[in-house]
Amino acid sequence: MLKAKNKLGLVFFPAFDWQISPTHPERQERLLYTMDQLNEEGVFDIDGIKLFNPTIATEQDIQRVHFCYPDVKTRVPQSHLISAGGSIRAAEGVLKGEVQKSFAIVRPPGHHAYRVVYGDRGFCIVNIEAIMVENIRKRFGNKKIAIIDTDCHHGDGTQDIFWNDKDTLFISFHQDGRTIYPGSGFVEEFGGPGGFGYNINIPLPPNTGEEGFLYVLDNLVLPILEEYKPDLIINSAGQDNHYTDPITNMNFTAQGYAKLNERLNPDIAVLEGGYSIEGALPYVNLGIILAMAGIDYSKVKEPDYSFEKLKQSDDITEYIKVLCEKIYSKWKRREKTAYKLFNRKDSVIRNKNIYYDTDGIMENQREKIKVCSECSGLIVIESSSNIGQDLLAITIPRDGCNKCIDEGYNLYKKTNNNYSKVYLQDKINDQFFDK
Amino acid sequence: MIIGLDTGGTHVDAVLIENGKIIDKTKKPTDKSNLFESIWKTLEELLKNKNLDCIEKINLSTTIPTNAIVEGKGSKVAMFIEGGPGIDPANFICGDHVFFLDGYIDHRGREIKPLNEDLVRKKAEYISSKDIKSFAVVTKFSIRNPSHELQVKDVLTKLGFSPVTMGHTLSGKLSFPRRIYTAYLNSAIFSSFNEFAHAVRKTLKQKGLNVPIHILKADGGTMSLNEASKYPVQTIFSGPAASVMGCLASFNLQKDALLLDIGGTTTDISFLADGVPLFIPDGIAISDYPTLVRSIINISIGLGGDSAIKINERGNIIIGPERQGPPMALDGPTPTPSDAMIVLEKLNFGSKEKASYAMSLIADKIGVTIEKAAEKIYDKFGEIIKEKTNEILHKINSHPVYTIQELLYGKRIKPENIVVIGGPAKAVAPILEKKFNIPCKIPQNHEITNAIGAALTRRTLEVTLLADTERKILSVPEMGIYKKVDSSYNLDSAKRDAIKLLHQQLKNLDADSYLNEVEIIEENSFNMVRGFFTSGKNIRLRAQIKPGLIYRIGDDKDA
Ligand SMILES: [Zn+2]
Ligand SMILES: [Zn+2]
């Protein structure tokens, strides 16, 4: 019998009774062929691979991360609570020591969900990794966590949520935002005053292949992780960089995804996007599972795989080399740069237009982060959208100082009529208030 | 009249049943060196002075295939395995000669790379020189498209090999490794089973008994001796299933229940869900080979009347898991639960004095009276069963689910009755009732429940129907169907076809009295979308005749 070198937990929840619409990429069929491939390969029989059912994320789990308008019950359907719960279950397996690693193959995805939630954007309503990360911190202590987002689209929601948090290093590699949804994820987006340098974007040119992705991993991501020394590494494992994906333009492969996971060696992986449901997902998921479990994956190849066809051009290779050097030196200079940028400021204000493509909602946001010498700083968001009245959302960070705590509570207390909803997220005491 | 015969490890049990009444029963020791002889002797005694013309059929369970596998006495088998992309198939090598083919069928059943027939021929010719007759061939996703397996079989048959087991004929379930093991085992035990079948047919004919012969399967059903001769692997581990069906035959059990068979060395645990035996999800494992053979859940724990009792360094009572011999009441070497139950006057055999001495050994170590020691052991016996049962139930109830509906509202098994059989059944019933806090029943004739089950159980059948209307292909692997359908084919057509196929099969098997028992157990139809348009439907359906009985023994008792 086949035996896993690393005990691996799998949450496999294809949600065969849920879809956005019958012809939407997020439809019932999405993980059907993956399930067939995994069953046919006998993956669930492998000694050392354990299957867990998802739990269901609670309102509190969601509120640790999001401000749902008007509230969690109205905004978050059962399906999303389950995919968030599936991620939590996967993490729990690792942190309780039931398994050494785990992989949540769940849907719907989450990495396009911002802090404030009016609806569905990029097929996501709540951010399943962020919810998992905060659940881990609540139950297993304030860990230093690195999220490596290998989805083809920029993980803009995860970036938004951890923008000002240096205990969560967020690295996203994705197809250059000038050529694809959601149009963000540039090198310059480098984090807020409390977490500057801990939000790293690596925008890659279309047609980047195995060589390019692994180059970025080996020459940029792994060295940064080496220096950051996270307690946990999470792979936000979108699979739409695959050469057969219908909504992207990259040339990544099942072998590439497997190698990436072998070298990155994440503690937890969570499926994000990936819509080549027949040509990619069955092989990519199998490759990732085998790589994580420490089982030989050398024979996992797409039926139409061709090394020659997928070879990346020299231009791309050179471009990526230069890009990596640029980002690495930016990372090295992060503290100096932060001092220059924020030294004399009281606060940093960002205005954001957030479009919910799936639900057709437009949101305007003004985010104000206090520059505080004692903590990472109070965050206050004012937001309006075309589906509701204005809201005010206040976050007291996990490391919040007494001044910021008082300021947050006072602001919550004295704010009234101007907003249809006011929220206070107190991350120190794990409390949430709204009115 | 129906004959039911169950071959166990220690005894062969047989009953003769007519219209729900037990006419006669026989129990004979099993002679492992000559199983056929043991079966035959038991039958002869059972049929002494009976009118053979009144016998309608014989249902028997045999351990011949199981033993052949467990003892590694199967025939030599050569295998062709076609893996394609995925886990290296070298991990699943079994058999004496294995050849890998480089064709490939993908998850939709599309041929990606054709079979290399020349290679098959060349390797087969090599095997011809090796004095091996049996082959098995398994290709990945063969249940979606069996063409490569069929092609290989064709070549091998022309070259004179037999049997050639094809993976897709054994089960409609996905699992390439299990398909490999199951096909291998089927070919390995083919000739020993067929020798047995031949002997049974011949002897019954000589005796003038010209009646249908059915063989028990691990799923609690039967199959005809002729079918079993083709697929002997389906008859492994039928013994526990016979006992479970015997429990069903004794009571009207419509709800969830716990079934216990308590023996000398082990206790076997099974469950009913709404009155139907619960299956192992994929198939039973035998000698480290996980298979696709459908089987009732039957989990053995090392706890029985003769289990050895020890006191550990912390003064706790440890029962089992090993047996060192008979109870001390029968001059055995160590104290046993049976000794405790003899002291408590719940069992009555052997020497009560010696049982009492056994208990005194325990009592001295833990500083209580002999009586108290016996009570503690008795209580512990019930406690262990309860703990193990709950562990197993927890596992069963956390089986993987794939829909939101199932995750939120799926069925959880919660036994409302216990049925207990085996030697100490009566003695143990009160403590089980106390521990589980649900009624505990003991069948009348509980010493031959297995033979009763064998006699009264009926045919089971299962088919898997897959239709891919984009490829315009329909396949029912278990029946060897692989044909065109048109694009209007839908879930309703699939249901109709599955039911029709099972009906036909039942008629062919002269089992048409169960036509109404056909049920659909799984149905799914996925819209396949390519680009922005629906390009077809992917329909998956399973239908079955579930395990059941011709009728129950005696009157309906309250459930
Ligand atoms: Zn994506
Ligand atoms: Zn502060």
Side-chain angles (χ1 to χ4, degrees), chain A residues 42-328:
Chain A
V43 161
F44 305 115
D45 275 339
I46 294 173
D47 188 6
I49 290 191
K50 259 180 112 168
L51 198 55
F52 303 125
N53 278 333
T55 50
I56 298 163
T58 62
E59 196 172 306
Q60 222 194 351
D61 287 323
I62 309 294
Q63 286 168 341
R64 246 177 236 130
V65 171
H66 291 292
F67 303 104
C68 293
Y69 181 83
D71 52 47
V72 172
K73 277 203 184 72
T74 318
R75 193 48 60 214
V76 190
Q78 203 66 256
S79 48
H80 294 251
L81 292 177
I82 293 171
S83 70
S87 314
I88 290 173
R89 181 65 187 90
E92 186 182 281
V94 173
L95 286 142
K96 282 188 172 168
E98 293 169 273
V99 288
Q100 286 156 287
K101 295 168 173 301
S102 63
F103 183 15
I105 306 176
V106 293
R107 56 182 285 268
H111 75 148
H112 296 305
Y114 280 54
R115 232 174 240 281
V116 175
V117 176
Y118 284 102
D120 194 325
R121 63 186 303 277
F123 323 156
C124 309
I125 294 179
V126 292
N127 196 306
I128 60 178
E129 280 98 2
I131 292 167
M132 171 181 86
V133 161
E134 296 305 344
N135 177 286
I136 291 173
R137 289 198 168 118
K138 178 67 208 144
R139 292 161 67 200
F140 303 98
N142 277 343
K143 302 207 175 285
K144 230 170 132 183
I145 295 174
I147 301 177
I148 314 303
D149 188 325
T150 55
D151 191 280
C152 189
H153 302 96
H154 176 223
D156 54 346
T158 316
Q159 164 170 309
D160 184 64
I161 291 163
F162 297 113
W163 180 250
N164 201 44
D165 178 1
K166 68 174 183 330
D167 287 337
T168 312
L169 170 66
F170 179 62
I171 303 179
S172 176
F173 22 147
H174 45 261
Q175 186 175 329
D176 194 315
R178 289 169 294 190
T179 62
I180 199 169
Y181 178 89
S184 56
F186 299 102
V187 176
E188 295 68 36
E189 298 156 37
F190 213 48
F196 191 76
Y198 298 91
N199 186 87
I200 298 172
N201 286 308
I202 310 164
L204 299 170
N207 300 316
T208 298
E210 214 171 290
E211 201 188 335
F213 282 98
L214 296 175
Y215 184 90
V216 171
L217 184 77
D218 291 341
N219 295 284
L220 182 59
V221 177
L222 294 180
I224 290 174
L225 286 174
E226 184 69 27
E227 292 168 41
Y228 184 70
K229 296 194 178 18
D231 300 317
L232 280 175
I233 297 177
I234 293 160
N235 181 12
S236 197
Q239 302 176 3
D240 38 13
N241 282 304
H242 195 263
Y243 65 90
T244 61
D245 199 90
I247 60 177
T248 64
N249 317 90
M250 300 300 238
N251 278 336
F252 210 28
T253 58
Q255 276 293 308
Y257 270 107
K259 282 180 196 151
L260 184 144
N261 271 280
E262 185 174 45
R263 297 187 201 170
L264 178 63
N265 195 19
D267 301 284
I268 303 156
V270 177
L271 174 67
E272 280 290 341
Y275 299 97
S276 170
I277 61 177
E278 280 198 60
L281 266 57
Y283 309 101
V284 174
N285 279 307
L286 177 63
I288 295 177
I289 290 172
L290 297 183
M292 288 186 83
I295 296 170
D296 168 41
Y297 56 79
S298 59
K299 293 205 153 78
V300 181
K301 283 194 178 110
E302 303 79 350
D304 61 351
Y305 174 85
S306 148
F307 177 77
E308 282 311 310
K309 227 171 58 198
L310 297 168
K311 206 170 152 31
Q312 125 192 339
S313 74
D314 294 345
D315 291 358
I316 292 179
T317 306
E318 190 52 33
Y319 178 92
I320 291 174
K321 219 177 135 191
V322 173
L323 180 74
C324 287
E325 276 163 21
K326 180 177 153 195
I327 298 172
Y328 188 69

Side-chain angles (χ1 to χ4, degrees), chain A residues 370 372-378 397 399-405:
Chain A
K370 192 177 153 187
C372 178
S373 56
E374 305 291 314
C375 74
S376 61
L378 188 72
D399 63 345
C401 65
N402 285 337
K403 248 170 87 185
C404 287
I405 295 172

